[in-house]
Amino acid sequence: MEVFEWLLASDNSSVRYRTLVELMDRGGSEEAWEAKKEIPESKPVRKLMEAMHPDGYWLQKNYKGRIIGDGVEYGSFGTTHFCLSYCAELGLDRSQPFIEKAASRYLNLQKEDGDWWEHISCLYGYNIRTFVMLGYRDDKRVQKAIDLLLSTKRPDGGYLCNMHEKGKGKPPKSCIRGSAKALLAFSVLSEYWEHERCLELVDYFLNRNGIFRNNDPKRFASRDMERDSFPITWGTNVWEILYALSRMGYGKDERLCDAWRIMESRKDADGRYLLHQTPGQCLWKVGKAGEPNQWITLYCMLAEKYKGITVHK
């Protein structure tokens, strides 16, 4: 079976919908409309809805055994910012009452400068992408977060957070995880692709050939990249970085050749990509480790599709 047929034959309405709309540019088709109509009643969406607290947030136990989630603490893949992101990935938006309730509540927890918690770049970058996907791009609270993204400067062009900025002497290197989430945020903000801060971040990645250490072009910048994971959380994937850079028009940059080779080497004989791991304490079950995964395959195919768009040389 061809990969397109495999994705379209899925009993997962979210995969079918996003394949039709994003991969095949058939957003106006009857098939896309039918798939979208099925999403709110799909099993993963119902599970997320049932797990939400009536006041509009998700709770979980953290590594210290404390129940968190009613605030903005970074949890282990089951707290509010993650669950809202899963909803966005599944194709939901603010037209769903439970999304509007949870998203508005979380946005109201934002600090005056646009941050949520300790200027953790992988969190506010992650949140920006989530809220844009959910339909909150014109919300003033989202713009405040975007303004923070644009105004955060670092010597190497990447992103970090308060907990690692402390200390004297030479500034620490940026965090590849936080930088990748910022890159994903910029990838859905085409109006800022020529902004100085976005260009600095793109250079941060291109200067390391996308996914490698600056001082060792054969070693991944993070061990996360040794495996393909989903859903997107604070870890970093090879396909994630290639998807974001390609969407922004850099897919054909010659410095990404090795990264593309590594991503494509992970296909099976039928052109499908495997899931190597999925986070624990995650309410959304996306597939079994070691098996072909439709979500990772979709994103890798989107990266390849956008690779053909050359905006920058």
Side-chain angles (χ1 to χ4, degrees), residues 93-308:
D93 57 40
R94 64 185 303 177
S95 65
Q96 296 293 320
F98 87 99
I99 296 291
E100 178 68 17
K101 185 173 189 175
S104 293
R105 182 188 184 278
Y106 189 90
L107 284 167
N108 283 334
L109 297 175
Q110 187 184 50
K111 296 181 180 180
E112 186 58 34
D113 67 350
D115 185 37
W116 277 275
W117 187 41
E118 297 294 322
H119 292 96
I120 296 178
S121 53
C122 57
L123 177 57
Y124 67 76
Y126 188 81
N127 285 342
I128 289 169
R129 178 175 182 262
T130 293
F131 288 117
V132 170
M133 290 175 69
L134 289 175
Y136 288 86
R137 174 62 187 89
D138 294 331
D139 192 292
K140 292 181 179 179
R141 295 165 294 184
V142 173
Q143 187 59 51
K144 284 170 65 175
I146 293 170
D147 290 342
L148 175 64
L149 183 75
L150 296 172
S151 63
T152 301
K153 294 278 189 176
R154 301 210 76 255
D156 60 3
Y159 284 83
L160 199 56
C161 53
N162 285 359
M163 70 177 76
H164 297 301
E165 288 279 16
K166 297 174 182 178
K168 299 180 181 179
K170 187 177 179 181
K173 295 178 181 179
S174 291
C175 172
I176 192 72
R177 290 169 168 171
S179 299
K181 295 302 166 286
L183 189 72
L184 278 173
F186 276 121
S187 76
V188 297
L189 297 168
S190 58
E191 63 270 37
Y192 291 113
W193 288 354
E194 298 300 329
H195 190 284
E196 178 186 8
R197 189 63 189 93
C198 181
L199 295 174
E200 290 173 351
L201 181 60
V202 168
D203 283 343
Y204 169 86
F205 282 97
L206 293 180
N207 288 338
R208 62 174 67 244
N209 294 345
I211 60 174
F212 301 103
R213 297 189 179 191
N214 275 326
N215 59 358
D216 189 343
K218 297 300 180 183
R219 291 182 66 190
F220 289 127
S222 169
R223 291 191 64 183
D224 301 339
M225 299 181 194
E226 295 174 1
R227 302 166 298 277
D228 287 336
S229 64
F230 196 82
I232 296 171
T233 55
W234 45 258
T236 308
N237 287 284
V238 172
W239 59 262
E240 190 178 321
I241 291 170
L242 290 174
Y243 165 79
L245 288 172
S246 292
R247 184 167 179 168
M248 297 163 70
Y250 296 93
K252 290 184 177 179
D253 191 293
E254 61 183 12
R255 289 168 287 185
L256 297 177
C257 288
D258 285 342
W260 283 114
R261 179 181 53 77
I262 289 170
M263 189 192 89
E264 291 167 4
S265 71
R266 296 176 179 177
K267 288 181 184 178
D268 68 10
D270 295 316
R272 303 171 301 178
Y273 289 84
L274 273 60
L275 172 70
H276 296 121
Q277 67 178 40
T278 189
Q281 289 188 286
C282 181
L283 291 170
W284 180 22
K285 304 306 179 184
V286 299
K288 295 182 180 179
E291 295 183 359
N293 185 267
Q294 291 175 328
W295 283 104
I296 292 178
T297 300
L298 173 61
Y299 267 105
C300 289
M301 291 180 71
L302 283 170
E304 292 167 353
K305 172 187 174 180
Y306 294 135
K307 182 181 180 181

Side-chain angles (χ1 to χ4, degrees), residues 14 18 39 44-45 48-49 52 58 80-93 98-99 102 130 133-134 284 295:
S14 297
R18 292 192 60 183
I39 292 172
V45 172
L48 285 163
M49 286 179 64
M52 189 181 81
W58 285 266
T80 304
H81 43 265
F82 287 122
C83 290
L84 282 171
S85 175
Y86 305 156
C87 289
E89 293 284 7
L90 286 162
L92 296 172
D93 57 40
F98 87 99
I99 296 291
T130 293
M133 290 175 69
L134 289 175
W284 180 22
W295 283 104

